[in-house]
Amino acid sequence: MGQLTERGHELTPRPDQADVLVVNTCSFIDPAKQESIDTILEMAEYKRVGRAKRLIVAGCLVERYRGDIKKDMPEVDALIGTNEIDRIVEVCEGIDSPAPNPDLYLYHDLTPRVLATPRHFAYMKIAEGCDHPCTFCVIPQYRGKFRSRRFESVVSEATRLFSQGVREINLIGQDTTCYGEDFGLKDGLAQLLARLAEIETPQPKWVRFLYAYPNKVTQKLLDTIAEHAALVKYIDMPLQHASAPVLKRMKRGASGDIFLRLIERIRQTIPGVAIRTSFIAGFPGETDVDFETLCQFVDAAQLDRLGVFSYSDEDTSGSFALDGKVDARTIANRKRKLMSIQRKISRAKNKKMVGREVSVLVEGTSPDTDLLWTGRMSTQAPEIDGNILINDFEGADPAPGQMRQLRITEAHDYDLIGTLLASTESEVRIPISRMLPPSTLIKIAPSQLPAR
Ligand code: SF4
């Protein structure tokens, strides 16, 4: 998006107004593939009956099914794989380009960028690719070997984002906890977080990293999070399972007991920390006993947030060849049971929050009704952990991007409701930028389109 706007093109979220339609895709699991294909077909209709002249498919689906898309979707004009992002301008303009650069793509601080999130928070990729061998996962095949961005490149981009009014930066990558290993840094993520926490900003800021690999969570990393106020007390650590035999077949190792000890150490080191995890239900060979082990683990761990994915049997994954496939109905039942255990944990934790005052980042009006606002505690990651609903406020009117105190007044299973208190920080009003949907649409000057 940054490269296109720099070239003078205009972005629009409305497919009926675009000259070029770009669908960015995912092919990690079946539902993501289906959503990607449905979106391509939906956009193809706009090209057939609307003003759009070109339809471009980008992302992981291209890496995985390049030949099939070319053969079965003649309405698609061009494809852009995950390592060809630098060709986006020429592809949108319909210019025949030379063979793609064989190097693995990694963006840096000088790469032009358009924030697709509200202006008060941003994601920042610090590494790309993954070298772990998890048997259910096809990501390393399409994203390539692990490589980190240069330390100063990350610091420089973060400094710029904060200076533009971003209040919260979320560091992402397939494997953030290995950050820096490829250029010999020990505890690279801890060093990076400490450096980001020290960036001077006029108002308080939050820095969070997502997707910790459990055996890469070092004591140094935990101490660093505990030490710096700007580092949010939040760990998102996908565990995938808690039964040792299943974890072994996943080629991840460890066990529920090891994870419980780690969780205990995290809580001891970082008081008030919120821990999120995700599990896969129905991995091949998961027996009733394995599943019971997982249920007991969820009950014992008392995690703050939990997501459950149904196992998706991807034909290029290592686990595709495993026997003992679990039927879809059993998977759905197991997923439901895990979520019902977690619902009780979440309800009890939420009830304990009533009456407390917490710091929140005000998000904006609720997407469901103008009568409510929403905000997030630092222990709620954007877009995945939900919001606190704000039904009353004291003092100044709320505005997106403010950090304010909030009193929690009501608790539901997953949601909290509260009253914003009079603001203690200088009012900084940051308008919510227009949200761009996953399929980003490019408006392009007609003169730049090829004759067809
Ligand atoms: S660590 Fe994550 S991205 Fe890497 S192989 Fe395992 S599940 Fe996939």
Side-chain angles (χ1 to χ4, degrees):
M1 290 194 287
Q3 293 193 21
L4 286 158
T5 47
E6 199 175 67
R7 169 85 172 161
H9 299 309
E10 189 185 335
L11 304 178
T12 173
R14 291 192 48 181
D16 58 327
Q17 291 185 348
D19 300 301
V20 177
L21 304 156
V22 181
V23 182
N24 197 19
T25 60
C26 177
S27 66
F28 182 32
I29 51 175
D30 276 343
K33 281 188 275 185
Q34 194 56 54
E35 189 182 340
S36 297
I37 291 165
D38 290 348
T39 308
I40 296 168
L41 296 176
E42 188 190 334
M43 293 303 121
E45 269 309 287
Y46 283 98
K47 185 179 150 192
R48 197 175 66 82
V49 298
R51 65 179 280 169
K53 308 285 189 304
R54 283 177 74 70
L55 173 57
I56 291 156
V57 176
C60 290
L61 198 76
V62 175
E63 293 294 331
R64 196 162 172 190
Y65 299 107
R66 190 181 288 263
D68 293 329
I69 301 173
K70 272 189 184 157
K71 181 161 67 73
D72 299 334
M73 295 182 148
E75 51 279 77
V76 175
D77 297 284
L79 303 173
I80 292 214
T82 52
N83 293 310
E84 301 168 89
I85 293 171
D86 283 337
R87 296 176 56 224
I88 186 72
V89 170
E90 54 200 63
V91 167
C92 281
E93 293 178 358
I95 299 165
D96 275 343
S97 56
N101 181 349
D103 292 343
L104 294 174
Y105 180 80
L106 186 61
Y107 91 95
H108 52 77
D109 54 311
L110 299 178
T111 308
R113 186 171 174 191
V114 171
L115 284 188
T117 47
R119 276 188 55 200
H120 53 272
F121 76 85
Y123 296 99
M124 246 178 64
K125 196 167 257 195
I126 59 169
E128 186 62 89
C130 179
D131 294 340
H132 290 290
C134 311
T135 53
F136 54 83
C137 181
V138 296
I139 287 178
Q141 294 165 35
Y142 306 114
R143 292 278 168 173
K145 284 195 78 59
F146 177 78
R147 63 267 185 203
S148 309
R149 279 179 64 185
R150 282 184 311 107
F151 198 91
E152 287 308 325
S153 165
V154 178
V155 174
S156 163
E157 187 183 6
T159 306
R160 193 172 65 239
L161 288 170
F162 284 134
S163 74
Q164 289 169 351
V166 166
R167 310 291 307 263
E168 173 189 8
I169 287 181
N170 298 278
L171 307 181
I172 54 169
Q174 277 84 44
D175 188 7
T176 47
T177 34
C178 282
Y179 175 78
E181 279 188 7
D182 50 329
F183 38 75
L185 264 188
K186 186 166 174 343
D187 277 311
L189 181 61
Q191 290 187 45
L192 182 68
L193 288 169
R195 180 71 183 79
L196 297 179
E198 282 160 10
I199 295 173
E200 286 189 15
T201 53
Q203 288 99 24
K205 61 180 180 294
W206 290 348
V207 178
R208 160 192 339 267
F209 74 96
L210 296 171
Y211 324 134
Y213 193 86
N215 71 8
K216 295 280 179 183
V217 175
T218 62
Q219 189 57 38
K220 173 78 180 162
L221 177 61
L222 299 178
D223 290 340
T224 304
I225 296 168
E227 194 179 316
H228 296 271
L231 303 181
V232 298
K233 310 310 173 213
Y234 176 93
I235 304 270
D236 180 343
M237 181 173 64
L239 296 174
Q240 312 298 2
H241 214 280
S243 160
V246 176
L247 286 163
K248 191 171 174 196
R249 278 199 302 280
M250 289 177 166
K251 289 210 175 146
R252 288 177 64 91
S255 67
D257 284 345
I258 292 174
F259 290 156
L260 284 177
R261 286 200 291 277
L262 174 60
I263 289 165
E264 184 56 30
R265 191 156 56 87
I266 293 172
R267 286 178 172 147
Q268 272 174 6
T269 312
I270 312 171
V273 67
I275 304 176
R276 174 181 189 88
T277 196
S278 52
F279 293 116
I280 294 175
F283 186 80
E286 180 188 67
T287 61
D288 288 345
V289 174
D290 292 322
F291 181 65
E292 187 50 34
T293 302
L294 179 55
C295 291
Q296 285 172 8
F297 175 86
V298 171
D299 204 24
Q302 296 282 303
L303 296 172
D304 300 86
R305 320 201 198 288
L306 185 151
V308 184
F309 290 93
S310 302
Y311 172 73
S312 181
D313 205 22
E314 301 302 317
D315 57 3
T316 58
S317 69
S319 55
F320 187 73
L322 294 177
D323 52 15
K325 296 281 161 63
V326 181
D327 65 88
R329 194 171 170 171
T330 305
I331 292 178
N333 286 339
R334 288 179 177 175
K335 187 173 169 180
R336 209 173 302 120
K337 177 152 186 210
L338 285 172
M339 289 317 294
S340 81
I341 298 171
Q342 184 62 24
R343 186 175 303 114
K344 288 193 197 107
I345 294 169
S346 174
R347 188 189 307 147
K349 282 180 180 269
N350 276 356
K351 270 192 182 164
K352 286 191 193 152
M353 298 290 292
V354 174
R356 284 201 202 164
E357 285 183 16
V358 293
S359 183
V360 294
L361 182 57
V362 177
E363 291 275 28
T365 49
S366 158
D368 300 324
T369 165
D370 287 348
L371 300 174
L372 295 172
W373 279 66
T374 61
R376 266 186 305 114
M377 299 181 286
S378 61
T379 51
Q380 291 173 301
E383 304 183 293
I384 182 82
D385 288 332
N387 293 303
I388 297 186
L389 294 172
I390 300 166
N391 64 358
D392 200 1
F393 64 91
E394 297 168 1
D397 288 358
Q402 289 174 335
M403 275 192 197
R404 286 187 48 177
Q405 290 298 108
L406 172 141
R407 187 183 312 110
I408 295 171
T409 53
E410 269 181 67
H412 298 271
D413 285 358
Y414 292 113
D415 294 323
L416 292 166
I417 297 176
T419 299
L420 266 192
L421 305 178
S423 186
T424 50
E425 67 169 15
S426 56
E427 299 297 332
V428 179
R429 292 169 184 241
I430 301 168
I432 291 188
S433 64
R434 186 176 57 198
M435 291 285 288
L436 291 166
S439 53
T440 301
L441 315 165
I442 312 298
K443 194 170 180 184
I444 196 165
S447 60
Q448 289 167 313
L449 287 169
R452 286 176 55 98

